[in-house]
Amino acid sequence: MKSEEELFNILKTKFNENVIKLVKQPIDPFIICDPLMINEISLYLLSNEELLFDNLMNLSGVDDANGKSTPIEGIATIEGGTLSVYYHLESTKFRHKVVLKVCTPREKPEVASVALVWRSADWHEREAYDLLGIKFLNHPDLRRILMPYDWEAGYPLRKDYANPEFYHGMKVPY
Amino acid sequence: MAIKTEEMVLNMGPQHPSTHGVLRLELVLEGEIIQKVIPHIGYLHRCFEKHCEAMTYPQVIPYTDRMDYLAAMGNEFGYAITVEKLLGIQLPERVEYIRVIMGELQRIASHLVAIGTYGADIGAMTPFLFAFRDREVILNLFEITCGARMLYNYIWVGGLSHDLHPDFVRLTREFIKYFRPKIVEMNELLSTNRIFIERTANVGVLPLETAINFGITGPMLRGSGFKWDLRRDDTYSVYNKFDFDIPVGEGKVGTVGDCWDRYYVRILEMGESLKIIEQALDQLPEGDVTSAIPKRIKPPVGSVYKRVENPRGELGYFIISNGTTSPFRVKVRAPSFVNLGIMDVLCKNHMVADVIAILGSVDIVLGEVDR
Amino acid sequence: MSYLDTQFDDNIIIAKVDDLFNWARLSSLWQVGFGLACCAIEMMATSASHYDFDRFGVIPRPSPRQSDIIIISGTVTLKMALRVKRLYEQMPDPKYVISMGSCSNCGGPYWEHGYHVLKGVDRVIPVDVYVPGCPPRPEALLEGLMKLQEKVRNESVIKKSA
């Protein structure tokens, strides 16, 4: 069992400037990492004998909505700010857990894919791409997963998403 | 003349009696042998996460019911303890015990549907009818508790909506007495049935390393021989006060981790759930179940990930609070969603008919896959 | 030989074509074995041992081409709506639709924020009977079916009703 501090120090010595900081909060403190290096950090966490984070519990994309909000024709459009991805990891052998977070700019959201490190990340990343538009670089099969493949109205879980009036001739709003 | 061969693509679903809902599978075949399975999901995407952002914390609970609609109590349970962790409130003992009883009754009901429909998929209609007969008894217990058969809105943040009905304890004890022989009956009818074993043993074998790397949880992981149950390994509520076993697949009729093992783990788990319910009924303390419900739920800024053992595996809620009365973001780690991702690996080099056997043993609920 | 067989030897029964057809139709309404969401579990419970849909002549058929009714049991999403429409089109006439549950009646709890939910299946196919509830109890579905039988009983081969 390793605490967050120890894990952070291990990662900091190995990856120095790519592991940015440890954010302390009463429940689930998390470590902020570089979005383009997250695949290598993940591989290290999985393969290191003393860490063995073999289970990716959850991967969630989040729209931080911390940019400038300007209403255009009644719809609040957000410019700037970040989208982020949280990784909840666990080791089934040592029972320690860690939370990683990466932030990526809203205009060009790109994160390195961890789908080849933990295969369970495959569908989670597709879901984050589908609902939030985060592009996972080197993902084996990055397509929409929940929404129809021909959905053109954007990414629904973004805070400034506006629903279309019609889809294939069917009225969408109530 | 050269013989020209090509792969055939077979479409299965979304309307197919054995896909347990609206799943669509694209099977790439070479003759009768499956080369690749491409699942297409999202036919039941009901925008759960968007709803959470628009609702207040208590208003989300009815929507959690509708995710895994076969295990609605489990979903509420998970959501409630996640928000309680965020709020940092302590619950009366009675609430915890009633939650455990409900969760375990729900586990039996859910496994009954899984087993019954699995039998029906493979061609045995009788287990389906028997399982639904027994499930009705559990649904009646839920109905006297909170008035609903399937989607309860019973477990609230900080407590429960009602106390138990005065007859509940007696009726539940009667149910336990009634249900024990039914498990034996199901074993005689299905588990040891020659045709059933032929269809499921040595089919869809899931090795343990693959299972962990794919994030597989629940009866599927235990079917592969790994003693991993969040009720014990990451304990929550009052599960540490009960004595129960964690059944794992042993490869009794085939290889460890085949379809039969996954099925049989569910059968054994029903017996373990009965044990837990019995102990919980014996120890059930007195108290007020609504006293700890907060008047206004407004958690501090922060994020939390909490998980519970649902009948299908690890159900996790990731909630970000920004200090208002509604969540900023809720992400659900749905067990069926993750478990379904392994279909391609399990089905490879099997026959078309085995897809049904494998899919049934994965036991998905599409409401949860798509949310 | 049962009692009835011995009573009507060499007899002729005269009935209206409408009555005969309607009687035959309403007593064997085969449904498409097709579930969408939560309501599908209640539909399964209705066809299983306790409620026994079979006594009304309702048997699930795997193919829409052999069916008379389709029970839309659950939330119809935009992705699924096109498939539901195609299923309906594949069914032979006369065909009937029961919309089961709030979601397929009007969008149910998802009516406001459901960006991917069709707000009522009647936007894509015509519905004969609406069964309210979320989910409706099996008794409610049986009532809905009896309402549909009532409708079938009053149909006419020549006069097309509504």
Side-chain angles (χ1 to χ4, degrees), chain C residues 54-102:
Chain C
D54 208 349
R55 61 201 158 118
F56 293 91
V58 180
I59 308 170
R61 301 296 302 177
S63 165
R65 291 170 201 276
Q66 303 166 351
S67 318
D68 307 301
I69 58 169
I70 180 166
I71 300 178
I72 308 294
S73 52
T75 316
V76 185
T77 61
L78 295 176
K79 202 171 176 179
M80 195 64 203
L82 302 170
R83 270 80 181 173
V84 170
K85 195 175 173 192
R86 185 175 299 174
L87 273 178
Y88 177 75
E89 283 163 355
Q90 283 178 353
M91 287 165 62
D93 268 332
K95 51 191 170 185
Y96 306 98
V97 179
I98 295 180
S99 161
M100 181 185 181
S102 300

Side-chain angles (χ1 to χ4, degrees), chain C residues 13-24 153 155-157:
Chain C
I13 296 172
I14 298 175
K16 282 197 285 183
V17 173
D18 276 354
D19 288 351
L20 187 68
F21 275 27
N22 290 345
W23 169 75
R153 191 171 282 128
E155 273 182 355
S156 168
V157 182

Side-chain angles (χ1 to χ4, degrees), chain B residues 138-208:
Chain B
I138 302 176
L139 296 192
N140 286 344
L141 289 175
F142 286 142
E143 206 175 334
I144 62 161
T145 313
C146 61
R149 280 164 54 88
M150 267 180 67
L151 310 171
Y152 311 103
N153 193 9
Y154 178 61
I155 297 174
W156 286 0
V157 175
L160 306 166
S161 70
H162 309 71
D163 203 346
L164 291 178
H165 189 272
D167 283 346
F168 181 85
V169 176
R170 179 178 60 82
L171 289 171
T172 312
R173 282 190 204 281
E174 276 172 20
F175 164 74
I176 294 170
K177 222 158 118 198
Y178 161 85
F179 190 63
R180 279 245 160 77
K182 302 295 174 198
I183 300 178
V184 181
E185 185 187 71
M186 188 61 85
N187 278 337
E188 285 167 357
L189 193 66
L190 194 62
S191 314
T192 53
N193 184 312
R194 193 70 229 159
I195 303 170
F196 182 71
I197 291 175
E198 289 289 329
R199 285 294 305 272
T200 54
N202 295 322
V203 170
V205 177
L206 174 61
L208 185 56

Side-chain angles (χ1 to χ4, degrees), chain A residues 2-173:
Chain A
K2 283 192 166 45
S3 68
E4 279 85 9
E5 301 257 338
E6 287 172 274
L7 288 167
F8 176 70
N9 290 333
I10 292 171
L11 287 179
K12 190 79 193 167
T13 43
K14 173 85 182 156
F15 290 98
N16 56 64
E17 80 275 6
N18 290 319
V19 174
I20 297 161
K21 69 170 177 178
L22 175 68
V23 177
K24 284 181 186 164
Q25 57 179 23
I27 317 162
D28 290 357
F30 53 84
I31 299 169
I32 298 181
C33 303
D34 183 351
L36 300 178
M37 281 293 285
I38 186 72
N39 54 346
E40 288 182 28
I41 296 170
S42 304
L43 196 61
Y44 177 73
L45 286 171
L46 171 69
S47 52
N48 189 304
E49 293 284 305
E50 288 180 356
L51 301 174
L52 275 183
F53 281 99
D54 51 359
N55 183 13
L56 174 73
M57 295 188 284
N58 193 8
L59 186 156
S60 15
V62 177
D63 181 0
D64 293 324
N66 49 4
K68 197 157 66 78
S69 178
T70 43
I72 299 172
E73 291 169 12
I75 302 156
T77 312
I78 301 173
E79 277 172 24
T82 53
L83 302 175
S84 47
V85 182
Y86 286 78
Y87 303 80
H88 291 80
L89 311 177
E90 184 201 27
S91 164
T92 51
K93 192 174 172 202
F94 300 117
R95 304 286 164 92
H96 45 216
K97 296 178 190 168
V98 69
V99 186
L100 304 181
K101 179 187 179 182
V102 300
C103 296
T104 173
R106 192 188 183 87
E107 269 64 47
K108 196 171 174 249
E110 285 180 348
V111 179
S113 167
V114 296
L116 298 175
V117 184
W118 299 284
R119 295 290 300 276
S120 55
D122 186 341
W123 280 21
H124 281 305
E125 287 184 348
R126 274 178 72 184
E127 190 191 321
Y129 166 72
D130 187 3
L131 301 180
L132 286 149
I134 300 169
K135 292 197 176 53
F136 290 92
L137 306 176
N138 296 326
H139 187 280
D141 180 25
L142 198 64
R143 286 177 294 147
R144 282 194 181 267
I145 184 166
L146 295 176
M147 305 295 285
Y149 297 122
D150 57 353
W151 190 258
E152 284 164 355
Y155 305 105
L157 273 190
R158 288 203 182 179
K159 299 279 180 188
D160 57 348
Y161 170 76
N163 221 12
E165 195 70 19
F166 285 94
Y167 170 72
H168 280 272
M170 292 175 288
K171 194 173 164 229
V172 180

Side-chain angles (χ1 to χ4, degrees), chain B residues 270-283:
Chain B
M270 293 200 296
E272 298 305 319
S273 291
L274 286 182
K275 263 195 223 166
I276 298 175
I277 298 168
E278 233 168 13
Q279 293 170 43
L281 286 176
D282 289 340
Q283 302 168 16

